[in-house]
Amino acid sequence: MLRVNEMFKSIQGESTFAGLPCAFVRLTGCNLRCTYCETAYSWSEGEDCAVDYIEESVWGFDVDLVEITGGEPLMQEETPELCRRFVECGKTVLVETNGTRDISVLPEKSIRIVDVKTPGSGCEDSFDLTNLESLRNTDQLKFVITGRSDFDWACGFIGQYELVGRCEIIFSPCAGAVESKTLAEWILDRALRVRLGIQLHKVIWGDERGK
């Protein structure tokens, strides 16, 4: 069983898969309380669902891309099994995780989108550095940037651990805190080999839930 907050079909709004139709499975529960969290409703809301039921529901969306998200999906023991089932069925599986739990438990062919919490999140020291050893070139690291200090911190982090070229690196502007244009200019000024990540779903639907 997994405790599920919601399941829905939408346009993938983030990562290198932005713009593609995607089935989302949002699991309940999170071990962090980020200052900018947009899905606080997932901390406790949800209902217990059998893995078979979740799998069948996602098949009903008729898409090839599936994202398992939260909350923090790796808080639940059966998350790797759910991912394995989708991978074995030929679907592309994304797992968005906050980096506090061991990502190596996930199936080899899944794509881990790992959020490295910046100081502006209020959870700066939460990241499990051993996860860097498990990164593959198909994985993605995401930094949500709330201001210039977060940007400089993130630059220092990727430099310290020599992450450029290891996997895709995404800098995403925190809504309401820093403009996309400003972050784009900072990236260009530093000639960084990172991707600017815009929340495409918010451009389309704003803050509408389930989108």
Side-chain angles (χ1 to χ4, degrees):
M1 300 289 287
L2 284 161
R3 192 156 184 82
V4 178
N5 175 264
E6 59 185 349
M7 291 185 282
F8 57 94
K9 179 169 70 172
S10 185
I11 295 296
Q12 173 61 235
E14 302 181 81
S15 79
T16 62
F17 294 86
L20 293 175
C22 181
F24 290 84
V25 179
R26 186 182 305 283
L27 300 180
T28 300
C30 190
N31 56 334
L32 298 182
R33 295 293 184 266
C34 297
T35 57
Y36 48 69
C37 181
E38 298 173 339
T39 56
Y41 58 84
S42 70
W43 295 349
S44 58
E45 294 179 17
E47 59 183 50
D48 293 333
C49 299
V51 173
D52 287 346
Y53 172 79
I54 301 170
E55 183 180 7
E56 182 178 332
S57 298
V58 168
W59 275 102
F61 292 135
D62 193 26
V63 293
D64 294 325
L65 182 64
V66 179
E67 176 167 315
I68 313 299
T69 185
E72 172 45 53
L74 291 181
M75 288 180 64
Q76 302 198 43
E77 291 183 3
E78 288 201 68
T79 297
E81 169 62 15
L82 179 64
C83 296
R84 183 191 64 78
R85 292 197 188 191
F86 288 135
V87 165
E88 291 183 351
C89 290
K91 292 189 180 295
T92 300
V93 178
L94 314 178
V95 182
E96 186 153 1
T97 173
N98 62 26
T100 64
R101 300 297 177 104
D102 180 11
I103 64 173
S104 69
V105 301
L106 293 165
E108 182 67 23
K109 291 185 179 180
S110 63
I111 298 167
R112 290 86 61 92
I113 302 172
V114 187
D115 195 341
V116 182
K117 299 301 182 182
T118 59
S121 71
C123 300
E124 173 186 353
D125 297 323
S126 63
F127 188 78
D128 182 354
L129 290 172
T130 62
N131 280 325
L132 297 179
E133 301 169 9
S134 300
L135 286 176
R136 304 182 302 256
N137 60 9
T138 54
D139 294 326
Q140 303 179 23
L141 285 179
K142 182 176 76 172
F143 297 79
V144 177
I145 306 298
T146 68
R148 183 71 199 204
S149 60
D150 272 358
F151 176 80
D152 292 337
W153 183 92
C155 290
F157 187 96
I158 63 178
Q160 179 180 355
Y161 296 105
E162 301 180 336
L163 297 173
V164 173
R166 293 268 312 276
C167 67
E168 192 79 39
I169 299 173
I170 301 168
F171 280 20
S172 181
C174 179
V178 60
E179 295 294 330
S180 300
K181 177 182 177 182
T182 300
L183 180 53
E185 290 171 345
W186 292 345
I187 292 172
L188 291 171
D189 287 345
R190 289 285 289 266
L192 289 177
R193 289 177 55 194
V194 302
R195 181 186 295 263
L196 175 65
I198 306 297
Q199 293 180 297
L200 182 59
H201 54 292
K202 296 193 72 171
V203 174
I204 301 171
W205 288 291
D207 293 325
E208 185 176 347
R209 182 170 169 175
K211 295 293 187 181

